[in-house]
Amino acid sequence: DTGVSQDPRHKITKRGQNVTFRCDPISEHNRLYWYRQTLGQGPEFLTYFQNEAQLEKSRLLSDRFSAERPKGSFSTLEIQRTEQGDSAMYLCASSFPNPTDTQYFGPGTRLTVL
Amino acid sequence: AQSVTQPDIHITVSEGASLELRCNYSYGATPYLFWYVQSPGQGLQLLLKYFSGDTLVQGIKGFEAEFKRSQSSFNLRKPSVHWSDAAEYFCAVVGAYSGGGADGLTFGKGTHLIIQP
């Protein structure tokens, strides 16, 4: 399967703990996006990378959130000192570089903060 | 700032009946518009997209959508729905947004489609 993969699929953590999620994009894609989706809402843009460069960050991405894509391939999203409000589905997508290019989404990582 | 409105939170349609899901957008320039479908436990899948040319676009699974600039709408249609079409449908626009992300998608809140036998 050459689609976008995310790991883990589910994560349960206690408030105050740090968590890290991984996204492996489609190999030919140089753009990688992170979104967050809460219950009953559409996905909300968090940040994106072109190759290893992080080009944009949403105001939703507080200082507790950090994303990396060190070699322009896979990416990690870390949340420090998790809060209950961080509970959501975290989605990763990848694409070629043009805005009209389709963003292909992974299955998501569901985070539950107790 | 751009935005997407999907006025219908839930829609119930009988199997075999026609379907129209509404989407209105707000964006200052020519928008790039998308419809995605999300089934339980599945990732978002692109149904179709519009960025220029013919305002009636065809997608996968028998779906089509029409871009109407005068109404700022991009409604999704299907002439005859199947039980497998039951899912969450999201309209999205890409472009400059309030957070500055030029190419991040801005999604609507989604429409939950229920198919009655």
PDB file of all heavy atoms in Angstrom, chain B residues 13-17 80-84 115-117:
ATOM      1  N   VAL B  13     -31.867  10.456   3.016  1.00  0.00           N
ATOM      2  CA  VAL B  13     -32.333  10.218   1.650  1.00  0.00           C
ATOM      3  C   VAL B  13     -32.657   8.736   1.501  1.00  0.00           C
ATOM      4  O   VAL B  13     -31.944   7.887   2.048  1.00  0.00           O
ATOM      5  CB  VAL B  13     -31.250  10.621   0.630  1.00  0.00           C
ATOM      6  CG1 VAL B  13     -31.702  10.328  -0.783  1.00  0.00           C
ATOM      7  CG2 VAL B  13     -30.912  12.090   0.778  1.00  0.00           C
ATOM      8  N   SER B  14     -33.690   8.442   0.769  1.00  0.00           N
ATOM      9  CA  SER B  14     -34.021   7.036   0.498  1.00  0.00           C
ATOM     10  C   SER B  14     -33.083   6.482  -0.566  1.00  0.00           C
ATOM     11  O   SER B  14     -32.682   7.191  -1.504  1.00  0.00           O
ATOM     12  CB  SER B  14     -35.470   6.917   0.025  1.00  0.00           C
ATOM     13  OG  SER B  14     -36.360   7.353   1.025  1.00  0.00           O
ATOM     14  N   GLU B  15     -32.754   5.208  -0.432  1.00  0.00           N
ATOM     15  CA  GLU B  15     -31.890   4.568  -1.419  1.00  0.00           C
ATOM     16  C   GLU B  15     -32.541   4.651  -2.796  1.00  0.00           C
ATOM     17  O   GLU B  15     -33.745   4.392  -2.944  1.00  0.00           O
ATOM     18  CB  GLU B  15     -31.637   3.111  -1.051  1.00  0.00           C
ATOM     19  CG  GLU B  15     -30.555   2.450  -1.891  1.00  0.00           C
ATOM     20  CD  GLU B  15     -30.118   1.102  -1.356  1.00  0.00           C
ATOM     21  OE1 GLU B  15     -30.833   0.541  -0.500  1.00  0.00           O
ATOM     22  OE2 GLU B  15     -29.066   0.606  -1.790  1.00  0.00           O
ATOM     23  N   GLY B  16     -31.753   5.065  -3.781  1.00  0.00           N
ATOM     24  CA  GLY B  16     -32.248   5.228  -5.132  1.00  0.00           C
ATOM     25  C   GLY B  16     -32.711   6.639  -5.452  1.00  0.00           C
ATOM     26  O   GLY B  16     -32.893   6.980  -6.628  1.00  0.00           O
ATOM     27  N   ALA B  17     -32.895   7.457  -4.435  1.00  0.00           N
ATOM     28  CA  ALA B  17     -33.326   8.841  -4.655  1.00  0.00           C
ATOM     29  C   ALA B  17     -32.124   9.705  -5.007  1.00  0.00           C
ATOM     30  O   ALA B  17     -30.962   9.320  -4.813  1.00  0.00           O
ATOM     31  CB  ALA B  17     -34.033   9.371  -3.412  1.00  0.00           C
ATOM     32  N   SER B  80     -28.668   9.023  -8.022  1.00  0.00           N
ATOM     33  CA  SER B  80     -29.289   7.885  -7.353  1.00  0.00           C
ATOM     34  C   SER B  80     -28.317   7.358  -6.292  1.00  0.00           C
ATOM     35  O   SER B  80     -27.255   6.836  -6.627  1.00  0.00           O
ATOM     36  CB  SER B  80     -29.605   6.783  -8.371  1.00  0.00           C
ATOM     37  OG  SER B  80     -30.126   5.626  -7.730  1.00  0.00           O
ATOM     38  N   VAL B  81     -28.687   7.486  -5.034  1.00  0.00           N
ATOM     39  CA  VAL B  81     -27.759   7.110  -3.960  1.00  0.00           C
ATOM     40  C   VAL B  81     -27.886   5.627  -3.637  1.00  0.00           C
ATOM     41  O   VAL B  81     -28.928   4.997  -3.822  1.00  0.00           O
ATOM     42  CB  VAL B  81     -27.985   7.940  -2.685  1.00  0.00           C
ATOM     43  CG1 VAL B  81     -27.724   9.409  -2.959  1.00  0.00           C
ATOM     44  CG2 VAL B  81     -29.378   7.718  -2.109  1.00  0.00           C
ATOM     45  N   HIS B  82     -26.782   5.099  -3.139  1.00  0.00           N
ATOM     46  CA  HIS B  82     -26.686   3.699  -2.716  1.00  0.00           C
ATOM     47  C   HIS B  82     -26.433   3.684  -1.228  1.00  0.00           C
ATOM     48  O   HIS B  82     -25.894   4.651  -0.663  1.00  0.00           O
ATOM     49  CB  HIS B  82     -25.528   3.044  -3.504  1.00  0.00           C
ATOM     50  CG  HIS B  82     -25.388   1.576  -3.286  1.00  0.00           C
ATOM     51  ND1 HIS B  82     -24.489   1.030  -2.398  1.00  0.00           N
ATOM     52  CD2 HIS B  82     -26.042   0.527  -3.847  1.00  0.00           C
ATOM     53  CE1 HIS B  82     -24.575  -0.281  -2.409  1.00  0.00           C
ATOM     54  NE2 HIS B  82     -25.517  -0.610  -3.279  1.00  0.00           N
ATOM     55  N   TRP B  83     -26.784   2.561  -0.572  1.00  0.00           N
ATOM     56  CA  TRP B  83     -26.597   2.496   0.874  1.00  0.00           C
ATOM     57  C   TRP B  83     -25.141   2.758   1.254  1.00  0.00           C
ATOM     58  O   TRP B  83     -24.851   3.316   2.319  1.00  0.00           O
ATOM     59  CB  TRP B  83     -27.042   1.133   1.426  1.00  0.00           C
ATOM     60  CG  TRP B  83     -26.235  -0.032   0.941  1.00  0.00           C
ATOM     61  CD1 TRP B  83     -26.506  -0.831  -0.120  1.00  0.00           C
ATOM     62  CD2 TRP B  83     -24.995  -0.502   1.488  1.00  0.00           C
ATOM     63  NE1 TRP B  83     -25.524  -1.770  -0.274  1.00  0.00           N
ATOM     64  CE2 TRP B  83     -24.586  -1.598   0.697  1.00  0.00           C
ATOM     65  CE3 TRP B  83     -24.196  -0.113   2.563  1.00  0.00           C
ATOM     66  CZ2 TRP B  83     -23.424  -2.309   0.957  1.00  0.00           C
ATOM     67  CZ3 TRP B  83     -23.029  -0.823   2.819  1.00  0.00           C
ATOM     68  CH2 TRP B  83     -22.657  -1.905   2.026  1.00  0.00           C
ATOM     69  N   SER B  84     -24.208   2.406   0.376  1.00  0.00           N
ATOM     70  CA  SER B  84     -22.788   2.594   0.679  1.00  0.00           C
ATOM     71  C   SER B  84     -22.363   4.067   0.645  1.00  0.00           C
ATOM     72  O   SER B  84     -21.232   4.395   1.021  1.00  0.00           O
ATOM     73  CB  SER B  84     -21.928   1.799  -0.302  1.00  0.00           C
ATOM     74  OG  SER B  84     -22.163   2.239  -1.624  1.00  0.00           O
ATOM     75  N   ILE B 115     -28.806   7.039   4.700  1.00  0.00           N
ATOM     76  CA  ILE B 115     -29.558   6.416   3.612  1.00  0.00           C
ATOM     77  C   ILE B 115     -30.624   5.506   4.207  1.00  0.00           C
ATOM     78  O   ILE B 115     -30.302   4.582   4.967  1.00  0.00           O
ATOM     79  CB  ILE B 115     -28.645   5.596   2.682  1.00  0.00           C
ATOM     80  CG1 ILE B 115     -27.474   6.444   2.184  1.00  0.00           C
ATOM     81  CG2 ILE B 115     -29.450   5.015   1.515  1.00  0.00           C
ATOM     82  CD1 ILE B 115     -27.880   7.621   1.330  1.00  0.00           C
ATOM     83  N   GLN B 116     -31.859   5.786   3.867  1.00  0.00           N
ATOM     84  CA  GLN B 116     -32.978   4.935   4.296  1.00  0.00           C
ATOM     85  C   GLN B 116     -33.216   3.834   3.272  1.00  0.00           C
ATOM     86  O   GLN B 116     -33.169   4.091   2.073  1.00  0.00           O
ATOM     87  CB  GLN B 116     -34.247   5.768   4.437  1.00  0.00           C
ATOM     88  CG  GLN B 116     -34.349   6.551   5.707  1.00  0.00           C
ATOM     89  CD  GLN B 116     -35.671   7.282   5.816  1.00  0.00           C
ATOM     90  OE1 GLN B 116     -36.306   7.548   4.815  1.00  0.00           O
ATOM     91  NE2 GLN B 116     -36.069   7.597   7.037  1.00  0.00           N
ATOM     92  N   PRO B 117     -33.481   2.613   3.733  1.00  0.00           N
ATOM     93  CA  PRO B 117     -33.743   1.518   2.780  1.00  0.00           C
ATOM     94  C   PRO B 117     -35.081   1.720   2.066  1.00  0.00           C
ATOM     95  O   PRO B 117     -35.939   2.459   2.506  1.00  0.00           O
ATOM     96  CB  PRO B 117     -33.778   0.274   3.661  1.00  0.00           C
ATOM     97  CG  PRO B 117     -33.971   0.758   5.038  1.00  0.00           C
ATOM     98  CD  PRO B 117     -33.471   2.156   5.129  1.00  0.00           C
TER      99      PRO B 117
END
